[in-house]
Amino acid sequence: MSSSAKSDRTPAGDEKNSGDTTPQPASTNANSENETFVGSLDQGTTSTRFLIFSKDGHPIASHQMEFKQHYPKPGWHEHDPEEIVSSAIECIDKAVEEFESKGYARKSVVTIGITNQRETTVVWDRQTGSPLYNAIAWPDTRTNSLVRELRKRPESEKLREICGLPLSTYPSSVKLIWLLENVDKVKSAYEEGRLAFGTIDTWLLYRLNGGTGKSVFVTDATNASRTMFVDLQSLQYSEQSLEFFGIDKNKCALPKIVPSSDPEAFGTLSDSALKGVRITGCLGDQSAALVGQCAFEPGMAKNTYGTGCFLLYNVGEKPVLSKHGLLATVAYHFAGDRSPVYALEGSIAVAGSGVKFLVNNLGIGEKSEKISELAGTVENNGGCVFVTAFSGLFAPYWIDDAQGTIFGITQHTTKGHIARATIEATCFQTKAILDAMEKDCGHKLHELAVDGGMTNSDLVMQIQADILSISVDRPSMRETTSLGAAIAAGFAVGVWKDFSELKNINREGRHIFKPKISEKESRAMFALWSKAVEMCRGWVDAEKNNEENEENES
């Protein structure tokens, strides 16, 4: 099926929720000993999936399952670490079952890669291997007040120069501090030297290798660079950062930092239908999507539209510290004689989750897939602008005290206008990020490669092209995040030896969306959005002030 045939489907949940991933039919030589396949475990914010790719990048079999989202308090977002592990094993088993039903042999899966939601933080007991608290998910904002206090420290200004990230609720560091200050079991484990810290990649690798008694306690460079504990230049833990956050490495075990593609560092599966298969690749999900888009040259970029929205721009072998609100991060690091490659990143907290909000919270539309169709019932937003600042605004604004606000509502506003404004919010923020990248790099992007659930809608992609005033390039097979993890794993064991071998992967059936409105119209739309952003500042503090006033009056 061509990508253009999938015009009105807008799944919105995972960062990687994809388009045309129809498994390929069994080949006529399915049992050939010469065939090589690579597995990819893709652990996202709302679901886990496992795909098996052929050497030419086609998904042959897959299985996906959602897991429970926990919201104990407003602004809190948690996952059960044990459920994440069990969902991973089940997805592997079910995908292998489908793979074998098509006549393939499981032994032809030579290796697997892992990609994961980033910043989500897990702590566990080093002696028992049991988690000490739910995983705190990356969009969680319980650390707002903690971040404000940390920003007051004089040393806070130096952190961005070391690790490339601004102080916010986003990175793992502040989540770990909150756990140490608020959870007794975590405090005790820390004081007794039993505490282990990791992001989802570390937790999965630890457990999939067998947990306690095994020596696999690692993280790859892309995930490590999201903690605020790591020096971007050396890719080692920064003593200055650890001291700033008050983390004692003798009391809290930190995983060893290794390249994203390595034949030995990640161990082997100790359970599941692929027991004994080596894990040789690991990438944070947004880095994996960049690799899956084969954006290996400086100046290439991709944008992934899922739960959140994440734009990565390859800047080459030296990190670029942004002066315009972006993050400096590791794009990927393949072992051998290859140097690490860096990226500028713009992170949007709410993308597909904004679409889900309309359905689940406001009852607009029966399901997420229908929001694009609803938005298409109107020609424009009717003057309605929705700043979807449910967790504040991320890059390039970094406004922690903003909350979701809708401007321009009149008696003529319809559900279609609100649906369109919700979609446009992601597209406007993408433009803000691209504008900041142009200022940081001095280079204007002429085309944007895209993937993720929201890209299934032709309307969303056309709106994005119109707002950016550049072309938007959508692949037919949108499981680029999973493909990126497979590529990292395959490189480690020689499935591919050079990037040039990947030049034809996932190139067929790409759809190019070109702008249909003038740049003048686009600028006018963006100016109205920018005005709305400025007006949404301060809502969190205003709410606190109102509460304090009410208490004083009583």
mmCIF file of all heavy atoms in Angstrom, residues 420-450:
data_model
loop_
_atom_site.group_PDB
_atom_site.id
_atom_site.type_symbol
_atom_site.label_atom_id
_atom_site.label_comp_id
_atom_site.label_asym_id
_atom_site.label_seq_id
_atom_site.Cartn_x
_atom_site.Cartn_y
_atom_site.Cartn_z
ATOM 1 N N ARG A 420 -8.169 21.214 14.748
ATOM 2 C CA ARG A 420 -7.123 21.752 13.867
ATOM 3 C C ARG A 420 -6.084 22.529 14.677
ATOM 4 O O ARG A 420 -4.881 22.428 14.429
ATOM 5 C CB ARG A 420 -7.750 22.653 12.802
ATOM 6 C CG ARG A 420 -6.811 22.950 11.636
ATOM 7 C CD ARG A 420 -7.506 23.716 10.535
ATOM 8 N NE ARG A 420 -6.640 23.870 9.380
ATOM 9 C CZ ARG A 420 -6.760 23.169 8.257
ATOM 10 N NH1 ARG A 420 -7.714 22.259 8.139
ATOM 11 N NH2 ARG A 420 -5.924 23.379 7.247
ATOM 12 N N ALA A 421 -6.546 23.298 15.669
ATOM 13 C CA ALA A 421 -5.625 24.067 16.509
ATOM 14 C C ALA A 421 -4.702 23.148 17.307
ATOM 15 O O ALA A 421 -3.539 23.479 17.557
ATOM 16 C CB ALA A 421 -6.407 24.977 17.447
ATOM 17 N N THR A 422 -5.206 21.985 17.710
ATOM 18 C CA THR A 422 -4.397 21.023 18.450
ATOM 19 C C THR A 422 -3.279 20.472 17.573
ATOM 20 O O THR A 422 -2.121 20.357 18.001
ATOM 21 C CB THR A 422 -5.273 19.863 18.961
ATOM 22 O OG1 THR A 422 -6.342 20.401 19.740
ATOM 23 C CG2 THR A 422 -4.475 18.892 19.802
ATOM 24 N N ILE A 423 -3.615 20.123 16.341
ATOM 25 C CA ILE A 423 -2.605 19.641 15.390
ATOM 26 C C ILE A 423 -1.593 20.740 15.091
ATOM 27 O O ILE A 423 -0.378 20.517 15.069
ATOM 28 C CB ILE A 423 -3.294 19.173 14.091
ATOM 29 C CG1 ILE A 423 -4.068 17.877 14.351
ATOM 30 C CG2 ILE A 423 -2.274 18.983 12.968
ATOM 31 C CD1 ILE A 423 -4.993 17.483 13.209
ATOM 32 N N GLU A 424 -2.097 21.963 14.876
ATOM 33 C CA GLU A 424 -1.211 23.072 14.537
ATOM 34 C C GLU A 424 -0.232 23.389 15.657
ATOM 35 O O GLU A 424 0.885 23.854 15.398
ATOM 36 C CB GLU A 424 -2.042 24.316 14.204
ATOM 37 C CG GLU A 424 -2.772 24.227 12.876
ATOM 38 C CD GLU A 424 -3.622 25.443 12.583
ATOM 39 O OE1 GLU A 424 -3.849 26.256 13.509
ATOM 40 O OE2 GLU A 424 -4.067 25.579 11.428
ATOM 41 N N ALA A 425 -0.607 23.135 16.910
ATOM 42 C CA ALA A 425 0.287 23.419 18.034
ATOM 43 C C ALA A 425 1.614 22.686 17.877
ATOM 44 O O ALA A 425 2.691 23.256 18.127
ATOM 45 C CB ALA A 425 -0.391 23.029 19.349
ATOM 46 N N THR A 426 1.559 21.406 17.482
ATOM 47 C CA THR A 426 2.786 20.642 17.259
ATOM 48 C C THR A 426 3.566 21.221 16.083
ATOM 49 O O THR A 426 4.798 21.329 16.132
ATOM 50 C CB THR A 426 2.439 19.168 16.993
ATOM 51 O OG1 THR A 426 1.775 18.629 18.137
ATOM 52 C CG2 THR A 426 3.692 18.357 16.705
ATOM 53 N N CYS A 427 2.868 21.596 15.025
ATOM 54 C CA CYS A 427 3.526 22.119 13.827
ATOM 55 C C CYS A 427 4.176 23.479 14.086
ATOM 56 O O CYS A 427 5.273 23.764 13.581
ATOM 57 C CB CYS A 427 2.523 22.213 12.684
ATOM 58 S SG CYS A 427 1.803 20.620 12.210
ATOM 59 N N PHE A 428 3.523 24.327 14.873
ATOM 60 C CA PHE A 428 4.101 25.624 15.216
ATOM 61 C C PHE A 428 5.371 25.457 16.056
ATOM 62 O O PHE A 428 6.371 26.150 15.843
ATOM 63 C CB PHE A 428 3.089 26.480 15.989
ATOM 64 C CG PHE A 428 2.031 27.108 15.132
ATOM 65 C CD1 PHE A 428 0.686 27.019 15.492
ATOM 66 C CD2 PHE A 428 2.359 27.800 13.978
ATOM 67 C CE1 PHE A 428 -0.302 27.607 14.715
ATOM 68 C CE2 PHE A 428 1.382 28.399 13.190
ATOM 69 C CZ PHE A 428 0.041 28.295 13.556
ATOM 70 N N GLN A 429 5.318 24.542 17.038
ATOM 71 C CA GLN A 429 6.492 24.333 17.875
ATOM 72 C C GLN A 429 7.649 23.762 17.062
ATOM 73 O O GLN A 429 8.818 24.061 17.324
ATOM 74 C CB GLN A 429 6.130 23.418 19.040
ATOM 75 C CG GLN A 429 5.232 24.097 20.068
ATOM 76 C CD GLN A 429 4.787 23.157 21.164
ATOM 77 O OE1 GLN A 429 5.515 22.928 22.133
ATOM 78 N NE2 GLN A 429 3.594 22.588 21.029
ATOM 79 N N THR A 430 7.336 22.933 16.074
ATOM 80 C CA THR A 430 8.376 22.412 15.187
ATOM 81 C C THR A 430 9.041 23.555 14.427
ATOM 82 O O THR A 430 10.270 23.582 14.269
ATOM 83 C CB THR A 430 7.777 21.394 14.195
ATOM 84 O OG1 THR A 430 7.263 20.282 14.921
ATOM 85 C CG2 THR A 430 8.829 20.909 13.210
ATOM 86 N N LYS A 431 8.248 24.525 13.959
ATOM 87 C CA LYS A 431 8.829 25.678 13.271
ATOM 88 C C LYS A 431 9.723 26.486 14.217
ATOM 89 O O LYS A 431 10.817 26.925 13.828
ATOM 90 C CB LYS A 431 7.737 26.589 12.709
ATOM 91 C CG LYS A 431 8.308 27.868 12.084
ATOM 92 C CD LYS A 431 7.282 28.724 11.404
ATOM 93 C CE LYS A 431 7.876 30.075 11.011
ATOM 94 N NZ LYS A 431 9.140 29.976 10.234
ATOM 95 N N ALA A 432 9.283 26.671 15.459
ATOM 96 C CA ALA A 432 10.087 27.420 16.426
ATOM 97 C C ALA A 432 11.440 26.746 16.633
ATOM 98 O O ALA A 432 12.479 27.412 16.750
ATOM 99 C CB ALA A 432 9.335 27.547 17.751
ATOM 100 N N ILE A 433 11.427 25.413 16.676
ATOM 101 C CA ILE A 433 12.668 24.657 16.850
ATOM 102 C C ILE A 433 13.569 24.799 15.628
ATOM 103 O O ILE A 433 14.782 25.028 15.745
ATOM 104 C CB ILE A 433 12.350 23.176 17.135
ATOM 105 C CG1 ILE A 433 11.776 23.029 18.549
ATOM 106 C CG2 ILE A 433 13.598 22.303 16.968
ATOM 107 C CD1 ILE A 433 11.167 21.670 18.823
ATOM 108 N N LEU A 434 12.997 24.674 14.434
ATOM 109 C CA LEU A 434 13.799 24.804 13.217
ATOM 110 C C LEU A 434 14.393 26.205 13.091
ATOM 111 O O LEU A 434 15.542 26.370 12.653
ATOM 112 C CB LEU A 434 12.964 24.475 11.990
ATOM 113 C CG LEU A 434 12.838 22.991 11.637
ATOM 114 C CD1 LEU A 434 11.981 22.808 10.397
ATOM 115 C CD2 LEU A 434 14.208 22.361 11.411
ATOM 116 N N ASP A 435 13.635 27.220 13.485
ATOM 117 C CA ASP A 435 14.162 28.593 13.463
ATOM 118 C C ASP A 435 15.361 28.714 14.401
ATOM 119 O O ASP A 435 16.366 29.360 14.071
ATOM 120 C CB ASP A 435 13.079 29.591 13.867
ATOM 121 C CG ASP A 435 12.026 29.792 12.786
ATOM 122 O OD1 ASP A 435 12.233 29.307 11.661
ATOM 123 O OD2 ASP A 435 10.992 30.430 13.082
ATOM 124 N N ALA A 436 15.267 28.095 15.591
ATOM 125 C CA ALA A 436 16.372 28.137 16.550
ATOM 126 C C ALA A 436 17.586 27.383 16.016
ATOM 127 O O ALA A 436 18.729 27.826 16.181
ATOM 128 C CB ALA A 436 15.926 27.537 17.884
ATOM 129 N N MET A 437 17.355 26.248 15.349
ATOM 130 C CA MET A 437 18.463 25.482 14.775
ATOM 131 C C MET A 437 19.174 26.272 13.683
ATOM 132 O O MET A 437 20.399 26.218 13.558
ATOM 133 C CB MET A 437 17.942 24.150 14.225
ATOM 134 C CG MET A 437 17.601 23.146 15.301
ATOM 135 S SD MET A 437 17.073 21.552 14.649
ATOM 136 C CE MET A 437 16.924 20.610 16.185
ATOM 137 N N GLU A 438 18.399 26.998 12.900
ATOM 138 C CA GLU A 438 18.998 27.819 11.843
ATOM 139 C C GLU A 438 19.909 28.886 12.460
ATOM 140 O O GLU A 438 21.004 29.157 11.953
ATOM 141 C CB GLU A 438 17.899 28.474 11.012
ATOM 142 C CG GLU A 438 18.427 29.295 9.852
ATOM 143 C CD GLU A 438 17.321 29.931 9.029
ATOM 144 O OE1 GLU A 438 16.158 29.512 9.176
ATOM 145 O OE2 GLU A 438 17.629 30.857 8.248
ATOM 146 N N LYS A 439 19.480 29.473 13.575
ATOM 147 C CA LYS A 439 20.295 30.485 14.242
ATOM 148 C C LYS A 439 21.564 29.876 14.833
ATOM 149 O O LYS A 439 22.642 30.474 14.774
ATOM 150 C CB LYS A 439 19.480 31.163 15.343
ATOM 151 C CG LYS A 439 18.335 32.017 14.827
ATOM 152 C CD LYS A 439 17.481 32.529 15.978
ATOM 153 C CE LYS A 439 16.277 33.304 15.458
ATOM 154 N NZ LYS A 439 15.365 33.713 16.565
ATOM 155 N N ASP A 440 21.446 28.671 15.417
ATOM 156 C CA ASP A 440 22.608 28.028 16.029
ATOM 157 C C ASP A 440 23.621 27.551 14.996
ATOM 158 O O ASP A 440 24.835 27.594 15.233
ATOM 159 C CB ASP A 440 22.173 26.835 16.891
ATOM 160 C CG ASP A 440 21.666 27.246 18.258
ATOM 161 O OD1 ASP A 440 22.184 28.238 18.804
ATOM 162 O OD2 ASP A 440 20.759 26.594 18.781
ATOM 163 N N CYS A 441 23.135 27.050 13.849
ATOM 164 C CA CYS A 441 24.018 26.424 12.862
ATOM 165 C C CYS A 441 24.280 27.284 11.637
ATOM 166 O O CYS A 441 25.177 26.988 10.849
ATOM 167 C CB CYS A 441 23.417 25.089 12.399
ATOM 168 S SG CYS A 441 23.231 23.885 13.714
ATOM 169 N N GLY A 442 23.494 28.346 11.475
ATOM 170 C CA GLY A 442 23.668 29.185 10.304
ATOM 171 C C GLY A 442 23.290 28.507 9.004
ATOM 172 O O GLY A 442 23.742 28.896 7.928
ATOM 173 N N HIS A 443 22.450 27.480 9.102
ATOM 174 C CA HIS A 443 22.059 26.728 7.901
ATOM 175 C C HIS A 443 20.554 26.518 7.906
ATOM 176 O O HIS A 443 19.995 26.062 8.900
ATOM 177 C CB HIS A 443 22.761 25.367 7.879
ATOM 178 C CG HIS A 443 22.317 24.466 6.761
ATOM 179 N ND1 HIS A 443 22.711 24.652 5.461
ATOM 180 C CD2 HIS A 443 21.498 23.382 6.764
ATOM 181 C CE1 HIS A 443 22.154 23.710 4.700
ATOM 182 N NE2 HIS A 443 21.417 22.935 5.472
ATOM 183 N N LYS A 444 19.906 26.862 6.799
ATOM 184 C CA LYS A 444 18.466 26.691 6.693
ATOM 185 C C LYS A 444 18.148 25.320 6.105
ATOM 186 O O LYS A 444 18.682 24.938 5.063
ATOM 187 C CB LYS A 444 17.853 27.785 5.803
ATOM 188 C CG LYS A 444 16.333 27.694 5.668
ATOM 189 C CD LYS A 444 15.790 28.854 4.860
ATOM 190 C CE LYS A 444 14.291 28.721 4.605
ATOM 191 N NZ LYS A 444 13.510 28.695 5.856
ATOM 192 N N LEU A 445 17.299 24.581 6.792
ATOM 193 C CA LEU A 445 16.894 23.271 6.301
ATOM 194 C C LEU A 445 15.917 23.446 5.138
ATOM 195 O O LEU A 445 15.023 24.292 5.188
ATOM 196 C CB LEU A 445 16.220 22.487 7.434
ATOM 197 C CG LEU A 445 16.193 20.964 7.318
ATOM 198 C CD1 LEU A 445 17.608 20.403 7.424
ATOM 199 C CD2 LEU A 445 15.331 20.369 8.430
ATOM 200 N N HIS A 446 16.100 22.659 4.095
ATOM 201 C CA HIS A 446 15.241 22.769 2.921
ATOM 202 C C HIS A 446 14.222 21.633 2.829
ATOM 203 O O HIS A 446 13.286 21.711 2.036
ATOM 204 C CB HIS A 446 16.086 22.816 1.650
ATOM 205 C CG HIS A 446 16.976 24.013 1.577
ATOM 206 N ND1 HIS A 446 16.493 25.284 1.362
ATOM 207 C CD2 HIS A 446 18.318 24.135 1.738
ATOM 208 C CE1 HIS A 446 17.495 26.147 1.366
ATOM 209 N NE2 HIS A 446 18.612 25.475 1.592
ATOM 210 N N GLU A 447 14.418 20.597 3.641
ATOM 211 C CA GLU A 447 13.485 19.471 3.645
ATOM 212 C C GLU A 447 13.579 18.774 4.994
ATOM 213 O O GLU A 447 14.664 18.645 5.549
ATOM 214 C CB GLU A 447 13.822 18.490 2.512
ATOM 215 C CG GLU A 447 12.803 17.372 2.354
ATOM 216 C CD GLU A 447 13.076 16.532 1.107
ATOM 217 O OE1 GLU A 447 13.856 15.558 1.212
ATOM 218 O OE2 GLU A 447 12.528 16.861 0.039
ATOM 219 N N LEU A 448 12.455 18.335 5.520
ATOM 220 C CA LEU A 448 12.423 17.679 6.824
ATOM 221 C C LEU A 448 11.916 16.255 6.682
ATOM 222 O O LEU A 448 10.803 16.021 6.197
ATOM 223 C CB LEU A 448 11.521 18.466 7.780
ATOM 224 C CG LEU A 448 11.372 17.900 9.198
ATOM 225 C CD1 LEU A 448 12.711 17.928 9.932
ATOM 226 C CD2 LEU A 448 10.319 18.677 9.980
ATOM 227 N N ALA A 449 12.721 15.275 7.107
ATOM 228 C CA ALA A 449 12.286 13.876 7.140
ATOM 229 C C ALA A 449 11.457 13.652 8.396
ATOM 230 O O ALA A 449 11.807 14.132 9.473
ATOM 231 C CB ALA A 449 13.501 12.946 7.134
ATOM 232 N N VAL A 450 10.352 12.931 8.268
ATOM 233 C CA VAL A 450 9.423 12.763 9.389
ATOM 234 C C VAL A 450 9.057 11.301 9.586
ATOM 235 O O VAL A 450 9.178 10.477 8.681
ATOM 236 C CB VAL A 450 8.137 13.586 9.163
ATOM 237 C CG1 VAL A 450 8.456 15.067 9.061
ATOM 238 C CG2 VAL A 450 7.391 13.118 7.911
#
